[in-house]
Amino acid sequence: MQNITKYILFTFTSAWIIQAIISNDVNSGSIAQMMEASYLSSLNMLTPTIGALIARARFSEMGWNPRFSSNSKLLLFALLMPTVFTLVGAGLYFLVFPDDFDTSGKLLSESELDALAEFKADGRSYADFVTGEIVSSVFSFYLIIAIFWGLCEEIGWRGFLYPELKKYTRRTKALILGGVIHGAWHFPLMVLMGYEYGTDYIGAPFLGLFAFCIFTVSTGIISDYLYVKSKSIWFPAIFHGAVNTSFNPRFLRGDEHPERTIFGPAEIGLISGIPIVISAAVILYIENKNEKLQYEEI
């Protein structure tokens, strides 16, 4: 337990200080401070790895052999399911709030608007533009970079914290507790700069903290499953990177109801996150059932 305490103290103290500076830089709006925020964001994602080092994690036992050929189904799951979760979740959100569905591109950035203009100049539709964004979210070069930064986090969360928690409590409790800890690690960014949900959503800021922890508990269960089954730290890292680069449904959302971001359409919403929650619940149920059967056999 002492190692867990060391890990949490360092990871949270360093990350929360960094996140407070990032929030100040972003809120200032100056170009220089925005660049600083970008650099600090990378440092922030390194804190779980450094925390694991301080806690004397056994890096050699984390599973550095990719094992891709023997775990092809898990690899496809890690790569593709984040986009599937996002699309199905966005569909649920727009079923509940159909008036939010919009194809005018109101929430696109300048670079995205330029890309859309090129699509239209070539005679292609908004649907073609969205399809292109979905495909690029899965196969873009940025995914490789996202996997690297995902690895920096997964070394700390799945490689160290989750196995340590399982030594002291039952699997289900360990996975829930680990997910809440992972979610709380993001709290300064969420409270100080509106990370993920903005600042004007229903129940801000506390409902957002709760909703995000539901998301991190669910993705944590899935990531732990990938890690345990593959015996390779690369699989949760790939899943983490794919989640971070998955298609953003803002391409299909209007700007009339910013207070609804707590519900979706991104996969962190209370409605749009339902597919991830269900998937995590099914995995947890099956794994616990298998563990119980193995115990009875023994």
Side-chain angles (χ1 to χ4, degrees):
M1 187 63 76
Q2 187 177 17
N3 287 343
I4 295 177
T5 303
K6 286 180 181 179
Y7 173 80
I8 292 176
L9 281 176
F10 172 81
T11 304
F12 271 66
T13 301
S14 58
W16 280 18
I17 290 173
I18 292 170
Q19 289 177 33
I21 298 172
I22 291 172
S23 300
N24 180 70
D25 287 346
V26 171
N27 291 333
S28 74
S30 73
I31 296 177
Q33 287 182 293
M34 291 292 284
M35 290 179 64
E36 179 182 82
S38 177
Y39 301 143
L40 288 174
S41 295
S42 299
L43 179 61
N44 182 60
M45 296 182 76
L46 278 170
T47 57
T49 293
I50 300 172
L53 278 168
I54 292 173
R56 296 183 178 181
R58 296 179 178 179
F59 280 69
S60 61
E61 299 177 4
M62 287 187 184
W64 295 99
N65 185 344
R67 303 177 185 270
F68 292 151
S69 59
S70 59
N71 293 287
S72 56
K73 291 181 180 179
L74 291 178
L75 178 60
L76 287 174
F77 183 100
L79 278 171
L80 302 179
M81 284 309 294
T83 298
V84 173
F85 289 143
T86 299
L87 293 174
V88 176
L92 290 176
Y93 174 84
F94 290 123
L95 280 175
V96 177
F97 299 112
D99 56 316
D100 269 357
F101 188 77
D102 184 274
T103 57
S104 64
K106 292 179 181 178
L107 299 181
L108 298 182
S109 66
E110 288 186 16
S111 61
E112 290 162 348
L113 285 171
D114 291 340
L116 176 59
E118 291 181 9
F119 267 77
K120 290 183 176 180
D122 291 338
R124 289 181 285 177
S125 65
Y126 194 84
D128 294 327
F129 170 74
V130 172
T131 301
E133 291 296 329
I134 294 173
V135 173
S136 66
S137 71
V138 179
F139 299 105
S140 70
F141 176 75
Y142 182 70
L143 176 60
I144 298 175
I145 300 173
I147 290 171
F148 168 77
W149 290 115
L151 177 65
C152 292
E153 285 198 39
E154 291 303 317
I155 287 171
W157 304 124
R158 253 57 66 179
F160 171 75
L161 181 63
Y162 277 43
E164 287 294 310
L165 288 172
K166 290 177 188 177
K167 293 178 182 178
Y168 298 98
T169 187
R170 294 178 64 86
R171 177 195 295 163
T172 299
K173 188 176 180 180
L175 294 177
I176 293 173
L177 180 58
V180 171
I181 292 171
H182 185 195
W185 181 75
H186 299 80
F187 281 1
L189 289 176
M190 299 179 70
V191 173
L192 298 175
M193 61 171 277
Y195 175 68
E196 297 291 18
Y197 302 100
T199 57
D200 299 325
Y201 59 88
I202 296 170
F206 300 108
L207 187 55
L209 307 183
F210 173 75
F212 193 71
C213 282
I214 292 177
F215 172 74
T216 51
V217 168
S218 300
T219 54
I221 290 170
I222 297 171
S223 295
D224 182 74
Y225 171 80
L226 291 169
Y227 185 39
V228 172
K229 289 297 181 182
S230 68
K231 297 181 175 62
S232 172
I233 193 66
W234 288 103
F235 283 78
I238 290 169
F239 181 74
H240 195 134
V243 167
N244 287 347
T245 60
S246 63
F247 170 72
N248 193 327
R250 76 178 188 282
F251 292 111
L252 300 171
R253 184 176 179 274
D255 60 353
E256 288 81 9
H257 298 285
E259 74 280 1
R260 293 177 180 171
T261 56
I262 189 64
F263 301 114
E267 70 276 10
I268 55 173
L270 290 172
I271 293 175
S272 53
I274 289 175
I276 297 179
V277 173
I278 292 176
S279 179
V282 170
I283 287 173
L284 192 59
Y285 172 78
I286 293 174
E287 289 300 292
N288 284 342
K289 184 177 180 180
N290 290 340
E291 186 179 73
K292 183 180 179 181
L293 289 174
Q294 291 172 5
Y295 177 78
E296 290 174 350
E297 289 175 359
I298 293 172

